[in-house]
Amino acid sequence: MNRRNFNRALAAAGAASLVNPFGIVRAQSSKLKIGVILPRSGYLSFIGQSCQKGADLAPGVIRDMLGVDIELMNADFESNVDTARTRAERLIQEGANVLVGPFDSGAAAAIAQVAEQRGVPFVINIAAAPQITEQGYKFVFRNFQTAGDIVRNGLALMGDLFQATNTVPRTAVFMHVNDTFGQAMAKGIGAFMPRLTQLPFKIVDTISYDPAAKDLTVEVSKAKAANADFLMLVCRLNDAIILRREMVKQRWNPMGIVSPGSPGMYEEQYFKALGKLSEHSISNVPWYNPTAKLTKVVEKAFLKQNPKDKLVFHGLNAGFTFEAILIAADAYKRAKSTDAKTLADAIRQTNITEKMTLGAPIKFNEKGQVEGIGSACVQNLNLTPTVVLPTNAATAKPVFPAPTYKK
């Protein structure tokens, strides 16, 4: 979805939400039915499947925590915005009391329109485009940073990284995906960079590309020609793998790859596909707190369901997806009803202090946005995403510049 269509869709939602938003009448149920919409196929499939792991363990953990019975109604939107819209419609038609998902900002905007029109609460697990919670929606809630928050925190952590490693890079080339999320991030970086005078570098070139691209030869060649000290990257997963391989092929070896806040380089598939070439990539992102009491509970349930896997490769995806479902269940317990408006009102009064992810308690502001969500500098070390900053949450020291390929 391009920016013009995205904005047109958001504008249309304002009119659509006025048409009988509370027209759905259902019998009350002893179970909370949650429609989980994720991209389990298509170019976002690996991340969608990672989020699904957090959804799958939620009913059991939450039943023990809150005594709430949850029925998951899973839907795959196939990494396609239009499909996300139809899946949301179908889940509501089939009786979903709450919608959760979808990881992608374009899909989140489409689902938000449906949720608002039909008067069904929608809790966003991961999606950063600021516009989504700027529409005055009454049924849309987000427990994730906006692009502006991600950029602000991500750039601040860059400054901390350079200070911690006693490095002073002077230039960066900025590459970013051109989808809704990437455009929002690029806009945020354009707005914040001039204000952060403490950062030692300037951006010498900006290169956008399609996240579904199968070849990035031209884009990497152009980035290499900028002769910048390091690569600042806003990516997804598949494109990050392609880009990294192309960097090696073209023998481009900058000081490092640092994301101011995007998925891809900490995902399990990034390590599996690249092996040692995944080492030293850095992502400044919202992250989970490995020492939190709830994290330990979730990790135990995760290992039981995925005995050959590790939570650390899914912590962000699984953590925020689990918390989205927890928000819905907590509201249902307090509301004692599956009535859509009653549930939405209860979600608005959320105050969850025992959480899995970094940052302040889960409370929604008047726009349906949680504020104060924390970020961490996560570097790939020993084939594992590892927190290296802030120091009070770090389990290792950052490595920058990165060693050359041969070393």
Side-chain angles (χ1 to χ4, degrees), residues 170-176 186 189-190 193 201-209 218-234 252 258:
R170 296 300 184 186
T171 57
V173 57
F174 176 39
M175 299 185 71
H176 68 89
I189 287 170
M193 276 295 294
F201 66 91
K202 65 178 181 178
I203 297 173
V204 294
D205 199 3
T206 297
I207 302 165
S208 65
Y209 63 89
V218 174
E219 290 82 358
V220 170
S221 178
K222 184 179 179 184
K224 181 182 178 183
N227 198 31
D229 290 335
F230 75 99
L231 169 61
M232 184 161 67
L233 178 65
V234 170
W252 179 30
V258 185

Side-chain angles (χ1 to χ4, degrees), residues 26-105:
R26 302 192 186 100
Q28 296 301 304
S29 170
S30 59
K31 280 189 175 183
L32 179 66
K33 296 182 178 180
I34 300 179
V36 180
I37 312 176
L38 294 168
R40 299 201 309 271
S41 62
Y43 73 93
L44 296 172
S45 60
F46 286 113
I47 297 177
Q49 292 163 19
S50 179
C51 291
Q52 188 68 51
K53 292 177 184 290
D56 290 342
L57 61 84
V61 173
I62 291 172
R63 187 185 307 111
D64 292 341
M65 286 177 60
L66 303 179
V68 171
D69 284 329
I70 295 171
E71 178 184 335
L72 296 185
M73 303 168 66
N74 297 315
D76 173 17
F77 74 85
E78 303 169 7
S79 304
N80 182 285
V81 170
D82 291 332
T83 303
R85 184 180 289 104
T86 59
R87 294 291 187 270
E89 290 278 8
R90 182 184 301 174
L91 286 170
I92 293 171
Q93 192 66 31
E94 292 175 353
N97 307 124
V98 182
L99 300 179
V100 163
F103 175 80
D104 174 69
S105 287

Side-chain angles (χ1 to χ4, degrees), residues 93-270:
Q93 192 66 31
E94 292 175 353
N97 307 124
V98 182
L99 300 179
V100 163
F103 175 80
D104 174 69
S105 287
I111 296 168
Q113 296 163 28
V114 175
E116 194 71 10
Q117 180 181 359
R118 302 294 297 275
V120 173
F122 171 37
V123 183
I124 297 171
N125 65 337
I126 301 168
Q131 305 97 309
I132 299 169
T133 47
E134 295 292 330
Q135 307 304 306
Y137 288 151
K138 302 301 182 186
F139 290 88
V140 179
F141 306 90
R142 172 165 49 189
N143 180 39
F144 197 72
Q145 293 179 2
T146 66
D149 294 331
I150 292 174
V151 169
R152 186 186 304 107
N153 293 339
L155 291 177
L157 282 167
M158 277 192 193
D160 295 342
L161 170 68
F162 302 146
Q163 185 176 12
T165 55
N166 294 313
T167 53
V168 188
R170 296 300 184 186
T171 57
V173 57
F174 176 39
M175 299 185 71
H176 68 89
V177 289
N178 63 6
D179 59 8
T180 305
F181 165 68
Q183 291 174 10
M185 289 291 289
K187 184 178 180 181
I189 287 170
F192 283 109
M193 276 295 294
R195 306 180 199 174
L196 300 175
T197 55
Q198 71 273 26
L199 292 178
F201 66 91
K202 65 178 181 178
I203 297 173
V204 294
D205 199 3
T206 297
I207 302 165
S208 65
Y209 63 89
D210 185 345
K214 302 297 183 183
D215 187 289
L216 292 171
T217 303
V218 174
E219 290 82 358
V220 170
S221 178
K222 184 179 179 184
K224 181 182 178 183
N227 198 31
D229 290 335
F230 75 99
L231 169 61
M232 184 161 67
L233 178 65
V234 170
C235 57
R236 297 294 195 175
L237 171 58
N238 291 357
D239 58 284
I241 294 170
I242 294 169
L243 187 147
R244 184 65 172 138
R245 284 174 172 159
E246 189 59 37
M247 289 177 66
V248 176
K249 183 179 178 181
Q250 296 193 26
R251 294 180 174 83
W252 179 30
N253 192 36
M255 293 176 72
I257 308 172
V258 185
S259 172
S262 66
M265 297 190 296
Y266 53 77
E267 308 287 351
E268 183 178 35
Q269 194 62 26
Y270 188 77

